Amino acid sequence: MNAPVAPGLPALLQKSERQSQVVRALQAHLPAHALIWNEEDTTPYECDGLTAYRMRPLVVALPETEAQVAAVLRTCHALGVPVVARGAGTGLSGGAMPDAMGVTLSLAKFNKILKIDVAARTAVVQCGVRNLAISEAAAPFNLYYAPDPSSQIACTIGGNVAENSGGVHCLKYGLTLHNVLRVRGFTAEGEAVEFGGEALDCPGLDLLALVIGSEGMLAVTTEVTVKLVPKPQLARCIMASFDDVRKAGDAVAAVIAAGIIPAGLEMMDKPMTAAVEDFVKAGYDLNAAAILLCESDGTIEEVEEEIGRMTAVLRGCGATAIACSDNEDERLKFWSGRKNAFPASGRISPDYMCLDSTIPRKRLADILLAIQQMEIKYNLRCCNVFHAGDGNLHPLVLFDANDPDELHRCELFGADILETSVAMGGTVSGEHGVGVEKLNSMCVQFTAAENEQMFGVKRAFDPAGLLNPGKVIPTLQRCAEYGKQVVRGGKILPFADLPRF
Ligand SMILES: Cc1cc2nc3c(=O)[nH]c(=O)nc-3n(C[C@H](O)[C@H](O)[C@H](O)COP(=O)(O)OP(=O)(O)OC[C@H]3O[C@@H](n4cnc5c(N)ncnc54)[C@H](O)[C@@H]3O)c2cc1C
């Protein structure tokens, strides 16, 4: 008599056979230490910063040269194996979450700064270089790389390019898109490609803008040329308190409407200031309903003039207290709370989900008040800290991932925030990308025809659909199912349920 076959065993056997096949094929191109596939070794790769969702990859490849990257891609293409590029894994939308039947291509070893050209004010860096490391290398020349995600100590420039990352100073200096001149990489077939060039413009279609923000779906980046900017002579930061969220939101719109582009314009609500103050003691006003941090940088004269104008606008909008940094230590202290907002949230809750949508500045107060109502509806707490000047929200929904019901309510809460943002004239994604997190909400933001056009772009670069499949663009079927479920009462559709591409 045959022994009974445990349910799921054929799939497991299939997976292990496929794993052996892929490992054997890759071993022809990579040294032994550059390939890992044992469960305990691949565990660190099973998620990115969106830790609620995990998947173990079939194999992790850690190439050290471009020739090895090309070989991995060519091999996977020949075998029909999905490839998910990975930088530091700090992404917050599940973009680097592995494919269960795919290779995770870690670019961690591409960590060299190749050239700093002081005359051209550019740096050529490998994709695995940390964002902050570029500014550190440029500092002796009084230059720096402007886009400064709060994760800059860890995240890579390759990840920044893939997500079109932003940061506190992007209001004035632009996003990754505005600070990158050239991207070199490889297609899904392993063919070398370059987008952009060393000059400000390059001939032909502007495919650089297409690749930046494409979340690893069009090509794998290996090398990037970034712009460097001179360090400002002086920077000062205003901290303004408001007794009403609406007044704070309106003040943000008023600063921009006054023709001022601050170097940073950030907002934190009361729950967030309480969490960070307890953590870093930045001197925040704990009685305020919201605080704004408004930075000015430039020459001494420019800063004095702008600080004066911003102070007048903030007073006019009803600020209850205004403090301005008098020296660099004080300025950094003001920012220390903002920069530590995520870890501070980690101290007050077992888990948090950081959402990322945009909203027209004039609707900031409306969305914050709507989020307060959602806290009651979903019975979960939410702290808000965000790039207010850009209208880029980052609600942090606090939950316990060990409680399936809390996770489910958190997903519903998140989808509600994203879709309310769209209803208020905003978008489902600001700077953290779509990944797997926002697939359902993409069905709300875009029509089926628009999503299909995005698939068209993907197919032009990657006809076999092997680079980061199942991310960013929802299928027609997903949208149809999500539509039905929303009608049925707002049930979230798990992203793994439906066929992709
Ligand atoms: C505490 C914290 C604060 C954050 N603050 C900000 C912020 O202020 N602003 C902001 O924009 N983001 C922020 N993020 C999100 C995150 O750091 C950024 O999205 C960052 O750009 C991800 O870089 P990474 O190297 O970690 O990429 P990963 O997470 O490894 O990957 C992100 C995406 O990029 C793709 N990818 C990575 N490398 C490559 C490559 N070489 N070629 C092709 N595709 C690639 C991956 O497939 C994936 O889709 C924050 C995250 C954390 C945890």
Side-chain angles (χ1 to χ4, degrees):
M1 202 174 82
N2 287 337
V5 176
L9 200 56
L12 275 178
L13 280 176
Q14 221 181 12
K15 188 168 175 178
S16 99
E17 273 166 29
R18 184 65 158 161
Q19 189 179 54
S20 308
Q21 181 194 26
V22 174
V23 169
R24 269 197 312 276
L26 291 177
Q27 276 169 338
H29 306 284
L30 295 184
H33 66 263
L35 279 177
I36 50 182
W37 64 91
N38 288 330
E39 272 203 15
E40 62 272 28
D41 299 332
T42 56
T43 300
Y45 297 90
E46 66 183 4
C47 67
D48 61 6
L50 184 67
T51 53
Y53 307 116
R54 290 162 192 266
M55 189 78 80
R56 217 180 279 278
L58 206 56
V59 179
V60 177
L62 293 120
E64 286 166 36
T65 64
E66 285 195 336
Q68 289 175 352
V69 170
V72 171
L73 288 164
R74 267 199 310 274
T75 306
C76 289
H77 189 257
L79 294 173
V81 174
V83 176
V84 179
R86 184 181 179 98
T90 66
L92 290 169
S93 56
M97 195 183 78
D99 189 296
M101 296 301 281
V103 168
T104 286
L105 179 61
S106 166
L107 282 309
K109 293 189 175 159
F110 283 73
N111 57 4
K112 290 182 195 59
I113 295 186
L114 302 174
K115 184 166 128 189
I116 298 225
D117 185 334
V118 177
R121 286 192 187 156
T122 58
V124 181
V125 301
Q126 287 190 316
C127 63
V129 167
R130 292 176 304 110
N131 171 297
L132 189 60
I134 304 177
S135 292
E136 285 168 352
F141 310 103
N142 215 24
L143 298 169
Y144 75 110
Y145 176 61
D148 57 344
S150 304
S151 53
Q152 67 181 157
I153 193 166
C155 66
T156 67
I157 189 71
N160 293 176
V161 165
E163 300 287 10
N164 189 19
S165 297
V168 164
H169 290 100
C170 291
L171 175 62
K172 181 168 177 180
Y173 293 99
L175 301 165
T176 303
L177 174 68
H178 309 108
N179 289 277
V180 163
L181 287 170
R182 172 186 149 272
V183 167
R184 175 178 160 79
F186 290 84
T187 64
E189 284 101 334
E191 188 192 328
V193 272
E194 277 209 17
F195 306 98
E198 301 292 338
L200 271 185
D201 196 10
C202 65
L205 288 178
D206 184 4
L207 297 182
L208 179 66
L210 189 62
V211 160
I212 296 178
S214 62
E215 302 192 35
M217 290 202 315
L218 305 185
V220 173
T221 301
T222 50
E223 192 180 293
V224 184
T225 303
V226 300
K227 294 182 199 168
L228 300 173
V229 287
K231 279 193 191 165
Q233 213 179 344
L234 178 69
R236 292 184 73 195
C237 182
I238 298 175
M239 179 163 62
S241 310
F242 290 85
D243 58 8
D244 176 0
V245 167
R246 185 164 292 284
K247 286 184 198 163
D250 290 347
V252 171
V255 168
I256 305 289
I260 305 166
I261 306 290
L265 180 45
E266 302 281 307
M267 183 162 160
M268 272 180 275
D269 68 4
K270 192 171 189 167
M272 192 76 255
T273 46
V276 293
E277 190 56 24
D278 197 34
F279 184 33
V280 293
K281 313 272 182 281
Y284 294 161
D285 179 353
L286 292 176
N287 295 319
I291 66 162
L292 294 183
L293 293 172
C294 317
E295 180 146 299
S296 174
D297 69 7
T299 62
I300 294 166
E301 296 75 18
E302 281 166 349
V303 171
E304 291 315 309
E305 197 256 351
E306 198 168 80
I307 289 283
R309 289 176 66 207
M310 285 202 288
T311 304
V313 174
L314 295 168
R315 281 227 169 84
C317 291
T320 50
I322 293 185
C324 187
S325 64
D326 277 330
N327 53 54
E328 191 56 9
D329 283 349
E330 201 173 9
R331 184 182 78 87
L332 294 177
K333 193 169 155 208
F334 285 3
W335 282 114
S336 65
R338 166 62 185 93
K339 294 266 177 187
N340 284 291
F342 290 11
S345 306
R347 290 178 80 231
I348 58 167
S349 169
D351 297 281
Y352 64 83
M353 195 178 282
C354 174
L355 278 302
D356 161 52
S357 67
T358 71
I359 188 92
R361 277 183 290 263
K362 60 180 188 311
R363 303 297 305 270
L364 277 175
D366 293 334
I367 187 84
L368 290 176
L369 295 171
I371 290 172
Q372 282 177 9
Q373 292 306 310
M374 292 177 206
E375 288 187 87
I376 300 166
K377 182 172 168 190
Y378 300 107
N379 192 23
L380 289 172
R381 288 180 299 154
C382 180
C383 304
N384 286 285
V385 52
F386 54 99
H387 310 308
D390 300 290
N392 182 192
L393 295 180
H394 287 329
L396 293 149
V397 180
L398 311 181
F399 72 107
D400 181 353
N402 290 317
D403 177 341
D405 187 56
E406 281 212 5
L407 173 59
H408 181 61
R409 279 185 278 125
C410 176
E411 289 173 322
L412 292 176
F413 195 155
D416 208 345
I417 293 173
L418 299 184
E419 289 157 29
T420 304
S421 301
V422 174
M424 289 185 179
T427 61
V428 296
S429 172
E431 57 180 15
H432 296 170
V434 174
V436 292
E437 180 209 10
K438 297 167 190 156
L439 277 173
N440 289 334
S441 303
M442 287 286 282
C443 305
V444 175
Q445 172 102 62
F446 295 105
T447 63
E450 286 165 336
N451 281 316
E452 183 46 34
Q453 280 164 356
M454 287 189 249
F455 271 129
V457 174
K458 163 96 174 127
R459 281 189 209 105
F461 280 77
D462 174 20
L466 291 174
L467 278 186
N468 220 0
K471 314 270 175 74
V472 185
I473 317 168
T475 56
L476 258 180
Q477 192 180 345
R478 168 175 283 274
C479 290
E481 279 299 311
Y482 188 55
K484 274 190 243 153
Q485 297 205 356
V486 168
V487 173
R488 273 192 240 126
K491 198 174 175 317
I492 283 287
L493 192 65
F495 54 78
D497 261 19
L498 289 167
R500 5 153 116 158
F501 201 53

